[in-house]
Amino acid sequence: MDRCSGAEVEVRQAVAPCLRIVSSSRDSAEVTEALRTIIHYLEGGNASASEKAEFNRANYTRVLQVLVSSLSSDWFHSLPAQERRELWDGFFLRGPPDQALLVLLDTISSTSDGSGLDWTVSVLESFLSAGRVGMLLWSRCLETNGRPDSVQLRETILTRLSSLPDLTANRLRTNTPARLLPQQYYTDLARDVLNTLENTCRALRAGQDCSLGFVAQLLGKVCMQGHGELVCRTLAPRLSSLTRSDALWRRVSCKLLENVPDRWVESVITALIHHLHGASALSRVMGNLVLKNKKVQFVLTHKVLLLQYQHPTQLLRTVLGYLALDHDRRPLLKQVLRSVCQVWSNSSAVRHTSLDQQLYVSKALLLCVNLLNQTEIQELREELLQCMLGGVQCRLDSSTEHVRRMGMVVGECLSQKLDTPTSQLQFQYEANEESRELLSLMEPQSEEEDEDEQQQQPDDAPRPQPESSGQSAEGQSMMSQPPAASQTSAKPAGHSSDSELDSDDELTPYDMSADQVKQKATPPRYVRDCLEALMSSDDPERVELSLQTAEELLRKNVSTAREVSVQFSKVLLHLEDRYSTAGFHTLRQSAMVALAVIHTQPVVEYLTTEFYSLNYSLRQRLDILEVLALAAQELSEPITEKKAVSQPVARAVTLEQCGEVEHWRQVVEKRIQSKTRRISKGASQPPKAAPNRYAPVAAYFFFPLLRNYDRPQVTFDLLGSDHLVLGQLVHTLGLLMHLAVNAPVATQMGKALLDFVWAIRFHADQMVRRGVLFAVCAVFLSMPGENLLLELSDDLVETRAWLADVAESDPDADCRSLAVQSLVLLEKNLKTHLQSPSMET
Amino acid sequence: MVMARPPPDPLFTLRGSAAPVNTLQFHCSTAGRPLLYSGSEKGCVHVWNLNNRRAERVLEGHDGASVIWVSTVDSTDAFLSQGRDMRVCVWDLHEGRSAVTHSLRTGSVGFCQCSLLEAETNKTLLALPAEHTEEIKVMELASQTPVRSLIPDSKQGMLMCMKMFQAESGPLLCAGYEDGSVVLWDVSHGRPLSCLKAHPEPVMCLDFDTDRQKGISGSSDKTLTSWIIDSQQNLQMQNSVLLTNPGVSQLCIRADGKIVAAAGWDGNVRVFGWKRLKPLAVLQHHKDLVHSVAFSNHPEASQRLMAAGSKDQRISVWSIYSES
């Protein structure tokens, strides 16, 4: 104690006069002399250890402050660079790094632009490059129970270290040197952390105690501030490879993570699992942290799996594999499986979460199930079964093909795990990228993991080479294959190649070009014959031929077609595909469209009445809507030569293939595009003007469809379970509305349509909501601006709020984009309207 | 390259059978007038004189039931006709007579035609379809004694067609069944020697060329398949040819082994080279299914005609590849 206080006095007495000289003297030689005196107390100086410690404790910061204040003094400027580096920089680089760092940063933020600032920054740079941060961290590690550091100081150093790039950039702006930019700084910081950990290991082996508290806090704080990505990119692979062989490293890394304060641990863990490939790596680095720390447990078993869905599949695999890897952690895996099951089979989640999230949860479920062993599956069988049945059912009910397919794939996979081979679920679906990915999750994973770890080593070995060589080999084998055998020589039999060769050749063949596929029946030549055949014939070929020629016949014989139009429509509407005729739906549809175009009013009246009448299947009702839409479309187009006949057919084909919704939107988008193009080109040859055939009859198409929608029948409940038809109906109405642009009746139509869709705008089915938004778009596009605003005036604010809400939070991506589109249209309408002078009159 | 010749027209057409023609048989070996027998759906057998091209006689012995097979028996100068009244009638046509000497009951309700084998041993065998749809009965014609009954073990379905022929070891029989398989039977021992799944559809017809040990079968689909009997008496697939339209009702190999004719359901008669099934001609004449096709056994090669009988009630007679 005495010695200590003795040293204190001694050092103060030695340092104080020097400082006075430095701060006040004008004689540079004198100043230099004074500094050289103080330098003894720094690292590498020849003062005694106790004197050094005392100097570091009480005087160092003061010295630095004095030095900083002398930045603008004459002697500083008169110092040659060499000496300046030694006398001035040396003080910062050879003392306790925490104090130096604080002073440097304070100086940088308080000094105005000038050579002083530049010098300080360069000193800070050399501070960093000299590894002083590493020194700092290490010094903190050693203070296991020593100096009870003031919490405030510790906190300050932590903040400065973790946000050094921000602090410097605030001051230096664009002049910040590369070393102080986040990219470089945090990578270096991660390296320093690693070095510190390495030192720790070494110290522990030597029997010395270390504290990882500060490093852990620093790590937490940095990750919290969003730099986890940068840090862990360097940290994680090294940790993974170091922990592989060394148990001590494993302990140290677990300890490090344990010491991260709870409030920051989430960001550290998240960043870490993003950069650790493979469950075993995570297990090595984290140990059983998930069991010890509630927060980590929540993140890994709940948040990453069920609340977030932006992570790659690899991460899911890592996390779930980590849970499965250790015996103690397996209960957690079961718990996870239970909660994932619950979410997956929740019908409300199916309706209200986005497709991406559903896919993510499905992946998690499959991975989880795949990790279970046989006894665990038996244990969880009941729950899994419930989950499978509930989840598959509510997905199959969905109107989106995507969701249905997901349900089918997951259902099949679960059933494969749960059931005996004979009683497994089997669905028919078209495999796509996504279903294949889901299926691939069920394959055992062990090899891949090793592979991942190898890939983790930072060499980019030219892997594609063997693949490409394989391909070329394949190509060669393809090339060397003999050309396709001709039809007669299926087998080059050895018997025929004996003496009796060529005897065929004396017989010269006759011309065989007339040998053609024979058609037994002839196509009907009259409309009435055609109708007759469709109505009553039992000859498949005749029916097929009649169907094939129906459209052509009708379009050729317009007057006859008018006489029987309604009857013909009736027959076609009720026609069933009894003989599985190729392209049945297309042919029937095009014939019905032809009828609706030729004799619009009665046929459309008939169809719209039938739409709401009893005893039709959903398919027939959908057919009616499609026919109406296509007919309206054809009517609204100018008559072109012959092409018009084939066009609707081609479209109808695509309609059969893809989902109807996409189809309508595509058609409309195409139309919008073609329109805008025409306007922008301008100079191109204007099409010949022709009266729009659709405008006068638009009302016949439109209003009857709005008549009975709220009257449920025994077989048809539009607002209830038959939302598939409702969605299609709204789409069709939207299309009819869109085609009626510039028609006088458009205003009334728009009014009625808005009223209609207003009632169903919060429908649970996304198809319907898409339809609603599509219809709204169509109204905004087609209804004259002033009428629209007049109509909307009361609801304008509410409409905008609704659209904005949908645009922001609807789970369906199409709904969101459609809502944005309608908002844009609405704004445009508003703007033109408010600017137009017609308003004032 | 010279343009291919247009296909020939029929030499002449025989009308007047007043019913779809089911089966044909030439009889030109004896000196004098060449004859053509035809069996019709109305139960008549017409005997056509090929010199004046008229029906010489009409034989009615099946009570109006469709006649599905006719054949002459060279050794006894008798004549056989098989009808769908489940009988085979044996006729005596000597010296202007036209009387049924006796008839054999088959019991078969199917469409399978009988097959006659006149071996050198002066023993004439007749293979008949029997009451069980898959069974074949073989009997000695003269004594009407049954020789064998051939029933396949496995399920091959109904018997569709057959052809009996003489081999060194004794009489053999090729039979086509409903499931598309062709079975080679050893008649003297009554056991199957080999089975070949020649078609996915029922075998509708087959013919066999004893000189080359090679046969051909047709089905209700678009392929004709040829097969051979190897030295171990196994059937082996050899060649196949694709037709434009499906369905063949009869196949006939010409006695000289140069060509084979197929009666198509599309109304065309197709001619192929027999060695490699090279398509040679498509003869378009009939307006309906061709039921039967037959080659003449005229001693003079240039007089060897081909006849095709169709559901359109006509018989077309052709001269094809008969020069040289």
Side-chain angles (χ1 to χ4, degrees):
Chain A
M1 192 67 195
D2 254 356
R3 268 199 61 209
C4 214
S5 61
E8 185 184 335
V9 175
E10 209 173 286
V11 171
R12 195 171 53 220
Q13 281 174 349
V15 172
C18 298
L19 282 183
R20 245 193 325 272
I21 294 172
V22 174
S23 56
S24 57
S25 172
R26 288 170 177 266
D27 182 354
S28 55
E30 199 179 356
V31 172
T32 312
E33 192 53 40
L35 286 177
R36 285 198 197 285
T37 317
I38 307 179
I39 265 182
H40 293 307
Y41 298 102
L42 294 177
E43 285 168 28
N46 50 13
S48 71
S50 60
E51 280 174 340
K52 275 186 188 168
E54 174 53 29
F55 173 80
N56 286 347
R57 187 185 69 77
N59 301 78
Y60 182 60
T61 306
R62 175 76 193 123
V63 172
L64 294 188
Q65 280 163 350
V66 170
L67 280 175
V68 165
S69 62
S70 69
L71 267 178
S72 50
S73 67
D74 291 340
W75 74 262
F76 177 76
H77 290 289
S78 62
L79 274 179
Q82 177 60 37
E83 268 184 70
R84 200 191 291 183
R85 209 162 287 137
E86 184 203 334
L87 287 179
W88 207 85
D89 302 5
F91 276 93
F92 289 89
L93 301 179
R94 287 166 58 192
D98 43 0
Q99 296 180 42
L101 182 73
L102 289 183
V103 173
L104 277 173
L105 287 175
D106 282 343
T107 312
I108 287 177
S109 50
S110 60
T111 315
S112 52
D113 289 341
S115 59
L117 181 64
D118 294 345
W119 191 253
T120 321
V121 170
S122 78
V123 172
L124 181 60
E125 275 185 85
S126 38
F127 180 86
L128 292 177
S129 59
R132 299 301 286 175
V133 175
M135 289 293 294
L136 196 165
L137 295 181
W138 178 233
S139 69
R140 293 274 154 184
C141 283
L142 289 174
E143 289 164 8
T144 45
N145 50 1
R147 192 172 43 167
D149 230 347
S150 86
V151 177
Q152 219 175 344
L153 177 66
R154 196 183 162 90
E155 216 36 50
T156 317
I157 295 172
L158 208 56
T159 315
R160 295 288 155 82
L161 261 185
S162 60
S163 53
L164 186 139
D166 299 342
L167 293 170
T168 49
N170 279 347
R171 184 71 198 81
L172 302 172
R173 293 161 209 265
T174 52
N175 299 325
T176 316
R179 184 172 278 279
L180 298 180
L181 290 177
Q183 187 78 24
Q184 178 73 44
Y185 175 77
Y186 288 110
T187 314
D188 289 347
L189 193 64
R191 214 163 282 142
D192 288 330
V193 168
L194 273 172
N195 288 337
T196 313
L197 293 180
E198 205 171 331
N199 285 337
T200 312
C201 285
R202 212 173 294 140
L204 286 177
R205 281 210 184 88
Q208 192 182 357
D209 270 356
C210 289
S211 150
L212 287 172
F214 185 79
V215 182
Q217 280 179 359
L218 178 67
L219 188 63
K221 186 133 191 166
V222 168
C223 289
M224 184 59 212
Q225 288 174 349
H227 305 295
E229 159 80 23
L230 285 170
V231 173
C232 287
R233 194 192 292 160
T234 316
L235 200 60
R238 281 292 289 160
L239 275 182
S240 166
S241 60
L242 285 168
T243 49
R244 191 177 308 198
S245 54
D246 196 336
L248 187 67
W249 263 103
R250 251 171 266 168
R251 231 181 75 210
V252 166
S253 103
C254 294
K255 208 75 191 161
L256 174 74
L257 293 176
E258 272 172 42
N259 274 317
V260 176
D262 268 1
R263 60 184 189 281
W264 296 327
V265 77
E266 181 190 338
S267 37
V268 177
I269 297 293
T270 327
L272 203 60
I273 51 181
H274 267 285
H275 290 93
L276 280 174
H277 299 277
S280 56
L282 185 61
S283 178
R284 286 193 306 266
V285 172
M286 262 179 53
N288 270 342
L289 185 66
V290 71
L291 297 172
K292 296 174 195 158
N293 190 319
K294 284 282 157 206
K295 184 93 183 198
V296 175
Q297 193 176 89
F298 175 74
V299 170
L300 288 191
T301 62
H302 194 85
K303 195 163 183 178
V304 170
L305 302 177
L306 299 176
L307 301 181
Q308 303 174 329
Y309 56 94
Q310 76 276 32
H311 304 299
T313 315
Q314 183 54 43
L315 183 134
L316 270 179
R317 195 166 270 168
T318 307
V319 169
L320 293 171
Y322 164 73
L323 292 179
L325 214 55
D326 190 274
H327 186 259
D328 294 335
R329 295 193 292 253
R330 282 199 87 97
L332 279 182
L333 183 68
K334 284 189 238 169
Q335 181 196 323
V336 164
L337 181 68
R338 286 201 186 93
S339 47
V340 171
C341 271
Q342 220 162 25
V343 172
W344 197 76
S345 60
N346 188 331
S347 67
S348 150
V350 174
R351 273 203 306 276
H352 296 295
T353 54
S354 70
L355 283 174
D356 290 339
Q357 184 162 11
Q358 289 187 41
L359 183 64
Y360 188 79
V361 172
S362 304
K363 283 180 188 167
L365 177 63
L366 290 185
L367 283 172
C368 242
V369 170
N370 199 28
L371 286 166
L372 294 178
N373 56 32
Q374 208 51 47
T375 49
E376 283 165 325
I377 286 183
Q378 284 311 316
E379 189 185 326
L380 292 166
R381 191 160 193 281
E382 268 315 299
E383 279 146 280
L384 277 172
L385 213 57
Q386 283 304 322
C387 157
M388 181 178 90
L389 295 177
V392 169
Q393 188 191 352
C394 64
R395 275 180 178 73
L396 289 183
D397 281 345
S398 165
S399 51
T400 320
E401 195 199 351
H402 204 87
V403 177
R404 286 200 299 271
R405 187 183 302 137
M406 209 186 298
M408 290 192 257
V409 176
V410 176
E412 272 187 9
C413 292
L414 288 183
S415 159
Q416 200 184 327
K417 280 274 173 188
L418 289 178
D419 296 325
T420 49
T422 46
S423 63
Q424 287 176 355
L425 278 181
Q426 283 280 331
F427 292 105
Q428 289 185 328
Y429 53 87
E430 276 176 37
N432 64 357
E433 198 61 35
E434 189 185 294
S435 72
R436 273 188 287 273
E437 195 195 344
L438 283 174
L439 284 176
S440 73
L441 296 180
M442 292 303 283
E443 288 155 14
Q445 217 50 65
S446 55
E447 297 165 31
E448 202 166 300
E449 206 171 281
D450 290 346
E451 209 171 281
D452 276 344
E453 301 218 337
Q454 276 164 11
Q455 279 177 2
Q456 208 176 302
Q457 310 300 340
D459 59 337
D460 290 3
R463 283 174 52 112
Q465 210 160 26
E467 265 172 51
S468 66
S469 72
Q471 265 178 5
S472 70
E474 200 176 324
Q476 278 166 8
S477 74
M478 292 254 296
M479 292 291 282
S480 65
Q481 234 169 21
S486 70
Q487 61 167 21
T488 46
S489 59
K491 258 192 194 173
H495 290 267
S496 62
S497 59
D498 53 19
S499 60
E500 53 184 53
L501 70 157
D502 295 341
S503 52
D504 266 4
D505 294 346
E506 23 186 280
L507 306 172
T508 36
Y510 289 97
D511 177 25
M512 281 177 288
S513 57
D515 185 20
Q516 266 148 13
V517 176
K518 187 138 184 164
Q519 295 201 325
K520 278 182 195 145
T522 48
R525 292 197 177 77
Y526 300 97
V527 172
R528 282 174 203 276
D529 281 355
C530 185
L531 179 61
E532 190 75 23
L534 290 174
M535 213 156 40
S536 54
S537 176
D538 285 330
D539 179 5
E541 225 158 322
R542 229 181 117 202
V543 173
E544 190 176 333
L545 283 170
S546 304
L547 200 57
Q548 277 165 357
T549 44
E551 192 203 352
E552 199 188 333
L553 272 181
L554 289 170
R555 287 189 193 269
K556 262 191 208 153
N557 309 298
V558 173
S559 58
T560 332
R562 285 210 172 119
E563 287 165 26
V564 293
S565 59
V566 173
Q567 197 191 356
F568 212 125
S569 303
K570 197 187 222 161
V571 169
L572 285 172
L573 183 59
H574 289 89
L575 198 63
E576 281 171 18
D577 190 9
R578 278 186 297 175
Y579 311 113
S580 70
T581 311
F584 174 82
H585 285 286
T586 322
L587 292 170
R588 183 176 79 140
Q589 191 177 51
S590 51
M592 287 174 84
V593 171
L595 282 166
V597 169
I598 289 164
H599 206 200
T600 307
Q601 191 189 333
V603 173
V604 168
E605 258 169 18
Y606 169 74
L607 290 177
T608 48
T609 323
E610 293 308 295
F611 180 74
Y612 282 112
S613 62
L614 278 167
N615 295 334
Y616 280 100
S617 66
L618 294 187
R619 179 71 243 177
Q620 280 168 318
R621 293 187 210 267
L622 290 175
D623 285 341
I624 292 178
L625 291 175
E626 281 166 13
V627 167
L628 288 175
L630 286 171
Q633 201 174 326
E634 189 182 333
L635 282 173
S636 70
E637 283 164 357
I639 304 169
T640 45
E641 297 289 307
K642 288 289 169 195
K643 263 187 188 170
V645 181
S646 66
Q647 233 167 5
V649 179
R651 276 181 198 166
V653 172
T654 59
L655 184 79
E656 286 296 320
Q657 286 164 352
C658 66
E660 290 90 337
V661 190
E662 272 80 5
H663 171 67
W664 296 126
R665 217 178 30 258
Q666 277 167 8
V667 170
V668 169
E669 271 167 11
K670 245 182 247 164
R671 286 178 58 77
I672 293 172
Q673 275 171 7
S674 66
K675 287 222 164 99
T676 49
R677 203 187 309 137
R678 204 174 294 160
I679 292 164
S680 66
K681 273 186 183 168
S684 71
Q685 208 171 25
K688 225 203 280 178
N692 185 342
R693 290 179 294 160
Y694 175 61
V697 292
Y700 290 113
F701 282 86
F702 187 81
F703 290 108
L705 285 180
L706 278 179
R707 211 160 34 202
N708 289 321
Y709 67 88
D710 50 355
R711 258 168 250 167
Q713 292 162 348
V714 189
T715 53
F716 186 44
D717 181 9
L718 202 51
L719 294 184
S721 57
D722 293 329
H723 43 74
L724 185 67
V725 184
L726 180 62
Q728 184 71 36
L729 172 66
V730 184
H731 269 288
T732 309
L733 289 171
L735 195 72
L736 293 175
M737 178 74 222
H738 176 76
L739 295 173
V741 64
N742 299 330
V745 76
T747 308
Q748 279 82 17
M749 284 169 72
K751 211 187 282 185
L753 187 55
L754 278 183
D755 278 349
F756 173 53
V757 299
W758 194 249
I760 53 170
R761 68 191 192 281
F762 294 120
H763 199 279
D765 189 90
Q766 52 197 4
M767 282 270 291
V768 178
R769 288 202 308 274
R770 270 187 218 168
V772 167
L773 288 162
F774 174 75
V776 168
C777 266
V779 173
F780 288 170
L781 270 176
S782 316
M783 207 160 145
E786 51 271 35
N787 292 338
L788 176 67
L789 292 181
L790 210 63
E791 189 53 41
L792 272 179
S793 57
D794 301 334
D795 297 330
L796 185 60
V797 178
E798 210 177 330
T799 311
R800 280 171 72 175
W802 163 60
L803 286 173
D805 186 45
V806 172
E808 205 162 292
S809 58
D810 196 284
D812 189 80
D814 287 324
C815 284
R816 290 198 297 272
S817 69
L818 274 172
V820 171
Q821 214 162 338
S822 359
L823 268 180
V824 170
L825 288 172
L826 182 61
E827 294 301 322
K828 206 193 279 174
N829 256 325
L830 268 179
K831 209 177 280 175
T832 51
H833 185 62
L834 292 177
Q835 284 168 353
S836 73
S838 66
M839 183 74 180
E840 290 147 24
T841 58
Chain B
M1 180 79 196
V2 196
M3 274 264 292
R5 290 175 293 166
D9 286 326
L11 219 54
F12 53 89
T13 314
L14 303 173
R15 297 155 216 255
S17 69
V21 179
N22 283 340
T23 179
L24 293 169
Q25 166 85 25
F26 277 98
H27 186 68
C28 312
S29 51
T30 48
R33 48 202 210 311
L35 296 175
L36 175 68
Y37 298 91
S38 75
S40 79
E41 201 178 89
K42 289 265 174 68
C44 310
V45 175
H46 288 76
V47 185
W48 305 89
N49 183 332
L50 293 178
N51 286 341
N52 59 16
R53 300 169 188 179
R54 287 184 200 259
E56 223 169 45
R57 267 191 282 180
V58 180
L59 313 173
E60 290 181 64
H62 288 278
D63 302 332
S66 180
V67 175
I68 56 172
W69 180 71
V70 292
S71 178
T72 52
V73 186
D74 291 340
S75 52
T76 56
D77 265 357
F79 175 76
L80 302 176
S81 68
Q82 177 196 10
R84 297 211 57 221
D85 56 352
M86 302 196 276
R87 284 192 308 150
V88 176
C89 294
V90 184
W91 298 79
D92 178 12
L93 300 180
H94 281 283
E95 298 157 1
R97 283 190 292 264
S98 52
V100 178
T101 50
H102 58 269
S103 71
L104 312 166
R105 205 189 123 71
T106 62
S108 158
V109 292
F111 288 86
C112 181
Q113 300 179 327
C114 295
S115 179
L116 185 74
L117 173 63
E118 294 179 70
E120 276 109 72
T121 49
N122 210 11
K123 201 168 74 175
T124 306
L125 293 177
L126 180 67
L128 311 147
E131 210 159 336
H132 300 293
T133 51
E134 69 276 9
E135 183 186 0
I136 307 167
K137 270 187 195 156
V138 183
M139 62 165 61
E140 218 167 281
L141 188 61
S143 59
Q144 294 181 38
T145 47
V147 178
R148 281 280 174 269
S149 168
L150 312 175
I151 306 173
D153 310 324
S154 48
K155 288 255 172 242
Q156 271 147 343
M158 201 191 288
L159 175 71
M160 302 301 289
C161 52
M162 57 188 169
K163 169 92 179 176
M164 188 157 50
F165 52 91
Q166 184 69 37
E168 288 153 22
S169 55
L172 297 180
L173 186 145
C174 276
Y177 290 90
E178 199 180 356
D179 71 340
S181 54
V182 173
V183 175
L184 178 66
W185 289 94
D186 181 350
V187 175
S188 31
H189 299 97
R191 60 185 170 86
L193 293 172
S194 171
C195 175
L196 175 75
K197 181 91 170 91
H199 299 275
E201 301 288 327
V203 183
M204 299 308 295
C205 50
L206 56 81
D207 199 3
F208 192 81
D209 177 2
T210 37
D211 295 338
R212 291 181 181 75
Q213 292 291 298
K214 176 177 161 190
I216 184 165
S217 57
S219 169
S220 58
D221 64 9
K222 286 187 178 176
T223 47
L224 289 183
T225 304
S226 75
W227 24 268
I228 53 159
I229 299 178
D230 66 9
S231 49
Q232 274 82 45
Q233 297 200 309
N234 281 323
L235 290 170
Q236 279 189 353
M237 194 87 95
Q238 199 189 31
N239 234 345
S240 72
V241 61
L242 209 62
L243 307 175
T244 317
N245 292 307
V248 182
S249 35
Q250 198 172 24
L251 284 162
C252 193
I253 305 167
R254 198 160 77 176
D256 61 3
K258 279 191 174 165
I259 56 174
V260 56
W265 289 1
D266 58 352
N268 297 340
V269 176
R270 280 159 224 276
V271 180
F272 301 90
W274 175 223
K275 308 290 181 315
R276 291 173 198 163
L277 295 187
K278 173 181 170 188
L280 293 176
V282 177
L283 306 175
Q284 292 183 322
H285 174 75
H286 292 288
K287 294 184 174 61
D288 214 331
L289 279 76
V290 183
H291 277 146
S292 177
V293 62
F295 283 107
S296 149
N297 54 350
H298 202 280
E300 244 178 88
S302 61
Q303 297 282 312
R304 281 185 184 159
L305 303 175
M306 183 187 81
S310 162
K311 197 183 173 185
D312 68 2
Q313 312 188 348
R314 314 233 162 115
I315 301 167
S316 54
V317 181
W318 309 74
S319 171
I320 189 160
Y321 296 114
S322 50
E323 61 278 348
S324 82

